[in-house]
Amino acid sequence: MTDTRDASMVDESADAAIMRVDAAIDGLLASCDPAHSSYGEFRAAQFDAGLAWVHFDEGHGGLGVSPKLQRRVEERLRKAGAPPMRPIMFFMHLAGPTIHTHGDEALRQRYLRPMFTGEELWCQLFSEPGAGSDFAGLAARAVADGDEWVVNGQKVWNTLAHLADYGMLVTRSNPDVPKHRGLTYFALDMKLPGVEVRPLRQITGEAEFNEVYLTDVRIADADRIGDVGDGWRVALTTLMNERNAIGAGGGGQAKRASGPISVLVKLWRRRATADRDAAARDRLTKLWTRAEVLRLTNLRAGANRRKGNPGPEMSIAKLASAELNQDLMTCAVDLMGAEGLVGYDYTCRRPENLTVDGSDGGIQHGFLRVRANSIEGGTSEIMRNILGEQVLGLPGEPRLDKDVPWIDVPRN
């Protein structure tokens, strides 16, 4: 006979979690009507109800239940009229799980709530001119000085750093050990003396990206996230959540008018019947199918997650969404014909928001913007390495500097 006691206990536990989440949602909507509350007020009430990140601990925006129930929360709140998260708050998806997983109690209390409400905006300070794909080779130096750290270095490709209040900063605190073991992670106040943000103009004409210079910046040890020298492990939490956030948004859904696929479908429907040739229809159908496969893959991956932080499997979604978005927007420009070559403003501007998938700001803007999708959040080449080694179990590439102290590794 098969013992069904464990299965029944799991079912009962799942049912209890759903009932608990539904009760929290009912209480939130009863006490804070989204139609009569400001964006910040409703987000604060949502956090206090444990519905910000439901898998987080109680008192930190969560209820300690399965992360897959977050979708239930979002669907019910949107149906009740609650506004979606503002795109400018994208980095909440990265910083929040990192601080919750590795930060101490004081850091959780200090940063999670204002991050979720949008009172404090975050950016990511990882890549450097000499450490992009080889992130562990970074050189920004942190030297301990009493209960502070003095940081010097340069970061690059820092999205929306010109608007951020805080940054997720990874530094080299010990150059005398192999590169993965000498890193330390901090929450950086972007208004500290010695922090300079400079714009980087992109192919779109925008300066959404930045380079950040750190000159004798003094960071309190209390703002260290994780142990000294454990920055690589902490950063992996950030990176996995970044790939999850980018990959989960890729492709979109045509029926719900979201993402690049909806841009393409709407454009197709505006074309005259005589212009809907069979070859273009076949191309559109194949792209729609890829977008739907990606959407379903993301749903399956979300349902299979057993912990709050995603694993290397989310590199599949990140890789697929980057290439799909580029193919979708290329097809859209092709459908526009000569019209796609004109009517775009290349004037340099500093955006106040974030467009990751190219679905906003016009088709020409989207076509140019998605060129970055295969670079940001980890290049497609790096995603393939991760999938080969960590998901498929293939032999890793030769790494001659793996056990060599960072200070002894030759650099250009």
Side-chain angles (χ1 to χ4, degrees), residues 205-281:
E206 297 170 310
E208 166 198 320
F209 295 150
N210 303 269
E211 52 185 348
V212 177
Y213 289 84
L214 307 166
T215 305
D216 293 332
V217 179
R218 303 188 75 88
I219 305 175
D221 187 63
D223 281 328
R224 173 170 46 82
I225 302 174
D227 294 334
V228 175
D230 200 29
W232 175 255
R233 187 170 67 93
V234 179
L236 286 180
T237 299
T238 307
L239 292 170
M240 293 305 177
N241 280 281
E242 179 182 29
R243 290 157 192 167
N244 181 51
I246 295 175
Q253 297 172 259
K255 292 182 179 179
R256 296 189 180 183
S258 67
I261 184 60
S262 69
V263 174
L264 187 56
V265 171
K266 290 175 183 176
L267 182 62
W268 173 263
R269 289 171 176 167
R270 290 200 303 266
R271 289 170 64 88
T273 303
D275 294 333
R276 298 181 184 179
D277 60 273
R281 182 184 295 108

Side-chain angles (χ1 to χ4, degrees), residues 287-304:
L287 289 169
W288 189 95
T289 302
R290 285 174 59 190
E292 187 65 6
V293 169
L294 176 60
R295 183 182 72 84
L296 295 174
T297 298
N298 287 335
L299 288 175
R300 184 174 70 249
N304 288 338

Side-chain angles (χ1 to χ4, degrees), residues 44-268:
Q46 182 179 346
F47 183 93
D48 294 340
L51 299 172
W53 295 275
V54 294
H55 58 287
F56 282 16
D57 296 334
E58 291 186 60
H60 298 296
L63 297 172
V65 298
S66 170
K68 67 182 180 181
L69 292 177
Q70 192 69 47
R71 179 178 293 274
R72 187 181 188 90
V73 173
E74 300 305 324
E75 289 177 349
R76 285 200 55 190
L77 294 185
R78 295 296 84 76
K79 188 175 181 180
M85 183 199 77
R86 292 171 177 167
I88 197 173
M89 295 166 56
F90 170 81
F91 290 99
M92 175 194 82
H93 292 309
L94 286 56
T98 302
I99 291 174
H100 181 263
T101 302
H102 301 283
D104 58 24
E105 180 66 16
L107 288 172
R108 294 181 180 187
Q109 291 288 350
R110 166 64 186 88
Y111 290 119
L112 291 178
R113 193 175 189 270
M115 177 192 304
F116 186 79
T117 63
E119 297 172 65
E120 296 174 349
L121 301 177
W122 285 69
C123 68
Q124 186 177 356
L125 305 171
F126 277 31
S127 295
E128 297 182 6
S133 296
D134 182 21
F135 169 54
L138 64 86
R141 188 79 165 91
V143 178
D145 182 18
D147 58 359
E148 292 183 323
W149 294 79
V150 180
V151 179
N152 286 277
Q154 178 189 359
K155 298 292 181 175
V156 73
W157 310 123
N158 312 121
T159 306
L160 301 185
H162 60 291
L163 301 175
D165 300 293
Y166 291 91
M168 296 165 275
L169 172 66
V170 185
T171 65
R172 182 157 306 281
S173 54
N174 187 352
D176 298 316
V177 296
K179 59 184 180 180
H180 292 85
R181 298 210 299 266
L183 306 177
T184 299
Y185 197 121
F186 297 96
L188 171 68
D189 183 345
M190 296 294 289
K191 305 300 187 293
L192 284 175
V195 178
E196 180 186 1
V197 179
R198 300 181 188 177
L200 288 173
R201 189 176 180 185
Q202 301 149 231
I203 192 175
T204 59
E206 297 170 310
E208 166 198 320
F209 295 150
N210 303 269
E211 52 185 348
V212 177
Y213 289 84
L214 307 166
T215 305
D216 293 332
V217 179
R218 303 188 75 88
I219 305 175
D221 187 63
D223 281 328
R224 173 170 46 82
I225 302 174
D227 294 334
V228 175
D230 200 29
W232 175 255
R233 187 170 67 93
V234 179
L236 286 180
T237 299
T238 307
L239 292 170
M240 293 305 177
N241 280 281
E242 179 182 29
R243 290 157 192 167
N244 181 51
I246 295 175
Q253 297 172 259
K255 292 182 179 179
R256 296 189 180 183
S258 67
I261 184 60
S262 69
V263 174
L264 187 56
V265 171
K266 290 175 183 176
L267 182 62
W268 173 263

